[in-house]
Amino acid sequence: AKFKLCQVTKTYFGKKGIPCLTTHDGRTIRYPDPDIKTHDTVKYEFETGKIVDFVHFDVGNICMITGGKNLGRIGVIERKEKHPGSYDIVHIKDTKGNQFATRLSNVFVIGNG
């Protein structure tokens, strides 16, 4: 494989103010695009070790479920619900028109809608 999709788990500033991000598989990437935020997905190229492209975690984008009862389902993000002090919920609609909801931590964005 030449590339891998990685979900951003954390963005921060390292030593001497260097912007960094951490992905779901433990990679640390320095000097990312400033538009990349937590929960976005980046296309990581192995040869250069750099980010080639990225997709925002937004309504209308295609996603895959990575945990819970809906594991493996693919659909389009319909809306996000914020629940302070509890789990944030994401509502998703699949290609057959079925709607379901899952926790934000179970959603992995795989492409633009």
Side-chain angles (χ1 to χ4, degrees):
K2 297 190 188 306
F3 69 90
K4 177 179 184 175
L5 294 178
C6 297
Q7 186 176 28
V8 177
T9 55
K10 180 178 167 186
T11 56
Y12 59 97
F13 290 98
K15 288 185 178 178
K16 298 181 183 175
I18 295 171
C20 301
L21 64 82
T22 304
T23 62
H24 77 284
D25 60 348
R27 295 176 198 275
T28 300
I29 301 169
R30 296 166 51 150
Y31 299 107
D33 189 306
D35 293 339
I36 299 174
K37 304 293 180 220
T38 305
H39 302 297
D40 291 350
T41 299
V42 296
K43 186 175 177 181
Y44 177 80
E45 191 174 67
F46 292 118
E47 291 173 10
T48 59
K50 295 185 179 172
I51 296 170
V52 180
D53 195 16
F54 65 93
V55 182
H56 287 294
F57 189 96
D58 277 334
V59 173
N61 285 345
I62 301 166
C63 66
M64 183 168 144
I65 309 304
T66 58
K69 207 171 185 180
N70 296 305
L71 177 72
R73 291 178 77 177
I74 295 175
V76 176
I77 300 172
E78 291 286 302
R79 68 181 194 272
K80 296 182 278 187
E81 290 179 4
K82 290 196 175 192
H83 295 279
S86 185
Y87 298 101
D88 293 345
I89 303 296
V90 180
H91 293 266
I92 298 156
K93 187 176 192 176
D94 64 9
T95 53
K96 295 181 180 176
N98 300 322
Q99 288 187 337
F100 58 97
T102 189
R103 291 179 180 175
L104 176 71
S105 59
N106 294 337
V107 180
F108 192 108
V109 179
I110 56 175
N112 288 316

